[in-house]
Amino acid sequence: MSLDDWSDTENDAVVASYFAMLSDELAGQSYVKASHNRLLQEQIGRTRGSIEFKYCNVSAAAKGFGLPIIKGYQPRFNFQMTLAEAISRWLAKHPEWETALHNPLHSEFAEATTLFVGVAPTLRNTPPPEETEKMRAVAMRFDIAGRDERNRKLGRAGEEVVFHRERAQLKELGLHDLARRVRWTSQEDGDGAGYDILSFLPDGGERLIEVKTTNGWERTPFHISRNELEVANARRDDWYLFRLYDFARAPKAFEIRPPLEAHVALTATSFQASFG
C-alpha cells in the first residue's frame, strides 16, 4: 500500500462523514462541511485538501450505487473499488437509511401533478468512457438494479406518484370518467400483470405503465422481468416504461417504448436450475 492509498478504516470514516452530511442535506437541515472536514482530519490525520477530494470520490462511488449525492461535491471518478466496498459496508450497517427516504411518503409529494418528464438517455449523450466504466463496474459488483428492485418502499412510492399524476392529467383535460378508471394494478391485483398502472390516453386508449424508480441518476440500471418484457412486446402500442430517477431529492422522469432493445442493453442476470 502506498502512502496515498486509503486504508479500510480511513475509507469507512470518510464514508460515515459523507453520509452524515448527506442525511442532513436530504432532510433539509443545515450543516457545515468545514466542521466535518476538521473532525475527520483529527480522526484519520489526512489533510483538508485530501479529504475534500475524497468526498468527491465518495460522490462518484455513491452515484454508481444509485444513491443521491451531496451538492457541491462533484463526482471524481478516479476512485478505487475499496471505497465502493466501504459504502457497501455502511449501507449494510444502516439498512434503515434508504428505507427512511420514503417512509412515510409525504402525501403532498405523492399527489404532486408537476413532474419533469424529459428525454431518455441515448448513446449520443453517453458520459465519458472512464466514467461509464466505473459506474458499470460498481453497478454490476453490488447489484444496484437488484437493490432498487428489492426496495419495496421505493418502488411503491414511485408507483404512487405516477398513479396520482395519471389521474390528475386526465382530470385537467376534463376527462373525469377516464380519471376514475385509472387503476394501480400492482397494488390491487398483484405483480403478475406485466405493468403497474392502467391509465388511459385522451382518446380512451389504454396506457399500460411499468414504473421503475431509483434514487440515483438517469442511467442507473434497473431490473425488468421476463413477464414484463413479454407484455411489452405483446402490447407494444399500449405499453410504457416510466423511469423515475433522483427520486429522494428532485424526482424527474422519462418514458421509453418497446422495443426496449432500441433504448437499453438487456443482459440476462439469472438462470433457472432444474433437475430434469
Side-chain angles (χ1 to χ4, degrees), residues 113-163:
T113 59
T114 57
L115 176 69
F116 176 76
V117 180
V119 179
T122 67
L123 289 176
R124 285 184 293 180
N125 59 12
T126 301
E130 62 275 12
E131 178 178 335
T132 302
E133 284 303 312
K134 273 293 177 76
M135 296 299 93
R136 183 181 294 117
V138 171
M140 291 182 63
R141 180 163 180 175
F142 298 99
D143 188 19
I144 304 312
R147 202 184 74 247
D148 275 352
E149 188 75 12
R150 292 186 293 272
N151 189 340
R152 300 304 301 165
K153 288 188 180 296
L154 173 64
R156 187 184 187 283
E159 291 173 18
E160 187 172 3
V161 167
V162 177
F163 172 72

Side-chain angles (χ1 to χ4, degrees), residues 68-83:
I69 63 175
I70 293 176
K71 295 178 180 178
Y73 284 130
Q74 292 303 309
R76 292 179 177 269
F77 292 91
N78 58 334
F79 63 87
Q80 295 180 325
M81 196 59 70
T82 51
L83 184 61

Side-chain angles (χ1 to χ4, degrees), residues 175-235:
L175 303 173
H176 296 278
D177 287 342
L178 283 180
R180 283 191 291 270
R181 291 171 57 194
V182 174
R183 299 182 72 245
W184 191 348
T185 309
S186 62
Q187 289 294 308
E188 298 181 37
D189 302 331
D191 292 327
Y195 56 90
D196 299 310
I197 310 292
L198 168 60
S199 186
F200 299 92
L201 298 169
D203 64 4
E206 289 188 336
R207 181 168 147 81
L208 312 180
I209 307 171
E210 175 62 30
V211 183
K212 300 293 183 182
T213 308
T214 184
N215 289 317
W217 66 320
E218 64 270 24
R219 291 180 179 271
T220 302
F222 57 86
H223 274 181
I224 186 163
S225 71
R226 176 177 294 183
N227 181 51
E228 290 161 359
L229 283 175
E230 289 175 351
V231 174
N233 288 326
R235 301 286 304 272

Side-chain angles (χ1 to χ4, degrees), residues 226-262:
R226 176 177 294 183
N227 181 51
E228 290 161 359
L229 283 175
E230 289 175 351
V231 174
N233 288 326
R235 301 286 304 272
R236 285 192 176 194
D237 293 337
D238 308 319
W239 195 92
Y240 299 75
L241 191 144
F242 198 95
R243 179 57 160 164
L244 281 162
Y245 62 96
D246 199 12
F247 192 71
R249 175 173 276 132
K252 308 174 192 66
F254 58 82
E255 289 186 345
I256 57 179
R257 303 291 310 281
L260 296 186
E261 294 88 340

